Amino acid sequence: MKRSMSLKMLLRVAKRRAVIGVSSLGLIGSLVLSGCGLGTAGGYTPSGTLTGEVADISLDGASISVGSKNFTEQILLGKIAVVLLQSAGADVQDLTNIPGSTSVRQAQLTGDVDLTLEYTGTAWITYMGHTDPIPDSQEQYEAVRDADKSNGLMWYEPAEMNNTYTMAVRRETAEEYGVSSLDDMTKLPEAEQTFCVDAEFQARNDGFIPMLEEYGMDEPPSEQVSIIDTGAIYAALANGTCTFGEVFFTDGRIKALDLVALEDPQGFFPKYNMAPVVDSELAEQYPQLEDLFAPVVADLDNDRMQELNARVDVDGEDYGDVAYEYLKDLGVVTDS
C-alpha cells in the first residue's frame, strides 16, 4: 500500500487532478487504489553517501516517489534515481516497473509518482498526441518542456542518450541482402519479411504500421507478424523466429547477440532523449534536485546505456546493484 500522504500532498494531487479534469470527489479512494495497484518492482535498493560534485546536496526531510516503465532500461534508470535520492537523505518510494508508458504518465499526472526519467519523443508523440516529431533533439526537448508546464511537470536538461526505436536483423541477414537501413527492408523477398514487435509498438503513432508506410511497405499478412514481449524479441531475432525485430538503439543485447540495428534515413522515429521529469512543486521546494541528477545526465550516452543494459540482460546482474555500482564508478556515490 502506498504510504499515507500529508495534507499538503493531498492538496497538491487534488490541484493536479483538477488540471487534467479528474473529479476530486473520488480523490482519496483513487489514491488508495492506484497506490496499491501499480504493480511495481520495489524491493531492496542499496544506497551510500553522496560524494564528488554532489557531496554537499541534502534532501533530508524530502519524501519522493520514483516511477518507471517495465523494461530493463527504464527500471535501471529508475533504480539510479532511487539510489541517488536515498543517498541524499530522501525518503524514497520505489514505484519502478509500472506496466506501460501511459500508466506511468497517468501516475505522474495524478501525483502518485513525483519523479520519472522520461523520453522526449514518448512525451511528444504518445502523451501529447502530436503526429510529427521535431527532428532537432534540443528543439524537441524544449517543445516538450514548455508544453508540460501546464501539467505541473518540470523537465530538466536531457541526456545525450537517444533510446529511439528501430528494426534489427541478424548480421548474416544484413550481409546476405545488403541491409543496413530501414529502406533496405524491401530487399528481402516478401515471404521472408517477418516481424517481431510488442503490443505497444504495434499501436503507437510512431510505431510499426506507420513506419512501414514511411518506407513504402504494405502491412504484412498477420501470420508474418509475431506480437511478443519486448524482452523476448532479441532472442527471437537471434534464433530466426523473425527476420526483423523492434529494438531500442541503447539495448545491450544488440552487440551481445551480434544483431545489426538499422539506420533511419527518413528520420521517421522521434528523438528519445532521456530527461528527469519532476513534479513542479517538488522541484521548486528542492531546487537541488537538478544538480543531483546533472552528473548522470551529462554522462549517459548510447554506449554507456548499452553497457548498463547488457549487465542486466546479458550478464544477469541485479538492477539495483548495477545502478549503485554505476553511480560509484561515476564518482557521485560512495559506500557509507
Side-chain angles (χ1 to χ4, degrees):
M1 178 73 69
K2 186 171 182 178
R3 66 178 184 276
S4 59
M5 304 180 82
S6 66
L7 177 60
K8 181 178 179 181
M9 177 68 78
L10 287 172
L11 290 173
R12 174 158 63 91
V13 176
K15 185 169 99 173
R16 174 74 54 73
R17 286 179 179 249
V19 168
I20 63 173
V22 178
S23 172
S24 60
L25 292 176
L27 172 62
I28 303 300
S30 63
L31 285 173
V32 171
L33 289 173
S34 60
C36 293
L38 286 175
T40 62
Y44 172 74
T45 301
S47 60
T49 301
L50 296 184
T51 188
E53 61 187 291
V54 299
D56 295 332
I57 294 177
S58 173
L59 291 172
D60 289 344
S63 184
I64 302 172
S65 54
V66 175
S68 84
K69 305 165 197 180
N70 61 336
F71 58 88
T72 296
E73 180 171 294
Q74 269 287 296
I75 298 172
L76 259 176
L77 291 170
K79 293 295 187 179
I80 287 171
V82 170
V83 173
L84 265 181
L85 295 168
Q86 288 181 164
S87 299
D91 173 24
V92 181
Q93 185 181 25
D94 185 345
L95 296 178
T96 52
N97 201 20
I98 299 171
S101 298
T102 54
S103 297
V104 178
R105 175 69 169 184
Q106 185 65 14
Q108 190 157 32
L109 287 174
T110 57
D112 294 325
V113 165
D114 298 315
L115 185 149
T116 61
L117 297 174
E118 186 55 271
Y119 306 110
T120 54
T122 301
W124 187 249
I125 300 295
T126 303
Y127 304 153
M128 299 176 184
H130 297 280
T131 56
D132 296 322
I134 299 174
D136 182 80
S137 292
Q138 184 65 24
E139 291 179 6
Q140 179 69 93
Y141 157 71
E142 291 173 359
V144 168
R145 176 199 64 192
D146 295 346
D148 243 356
K149 289 178 181 177
S150 63
N151 291 319
L153 298 177
M154 179 177 291
W155 285 69
Y156 296 152
E157 287 291 320
E160 180 183 333
M161 61 163 287
N162 177 22
N163 184 20
T164 191
Y165 287 105
T166 190
M167 304 301 285
V169 297
R170 290 185 295 173
R171 185 165 300 279
E172 52 264 41
T173 301
E175 293 174 351
E176 179 181 357
Y177 291 99
V179 177
S180 62
S181 66
L182 293 172
D183 54 8
D184 292 330
M185 291 190 295
T186 56
K187 290 182 178 180
L188 276 72
E190 289 188 6
E192 295 183 32
Q193 294 175 14
T194 57
F195 299 86
C196 289
V197 298
D198 72 3
E200 181 173 335
F201 183 69
Q202 187 188 40
R204 291 173 71 107
N205 294 337
D206 59 342
F208 182 47
I209 302 303
M211 176 204 69
L212 294 178
E213 292 173 352
E214 177 71 22
Y215 283 95
M217 300 176 67
D218 296 327
E219 183 174 350
S222 58
E223 62 268 20
Q224 291 181 214
V225 180
S226 298
I227 308 300
I228 58 180
D229 290 340
T230 304
I233 291 174
Y234 297 84
L237 266 174
N239 66 27
T241 299
C242 48
T243 308
F244 300 102
E246 159 211 348
V247 299
F248 298 114
F249 255 112
T250 52
D251 198 292
R253 289 166 291 186
I254 293 173
K255 289 183 179 178
L257 296 172
D258 200 25
L259 304 175
V260 176
L262 303 183
E263 297 296 328
D264 178 17
Q266 299 299 325
F268 169 76
F269 290 115
K271 300 295 188 295
Y272 288 89
N273 298 103
M274 180 278 294
V277 183
V278 187
D279 173 85
S280 295
E281 291 187 13
L282 186 71
E284 291 172 7
Q285 185 176 2
Y286 299 100
Q288 62 268 42
L289 278 168
E290 187 166 13
D291 291 334
L292 180 64
F293 281 91
V296 172
V297 169
D299 179 70
L300 285 179
D301 57 18
N302 285 355
D303 288 340
R304 175 75 82 169
M305 200 68 240
Q306 274 195 359
E307 171 193 330
L308 296 177
N309 287 332
R311 289 178 60 181
V312 173
D313 287 328
V314 179
D315 301 333
E317 296 184 50
D318 177 75
Y319 294 109
D321 292 339
V322 173
Y324 184 69
E325 292 300 322
Y326 163 68
L327 292 170
K328 284 182 62 178
D329 291 344
L330 191 58
V332 295
V333 168
T334 187
D335 295 333
S336 299

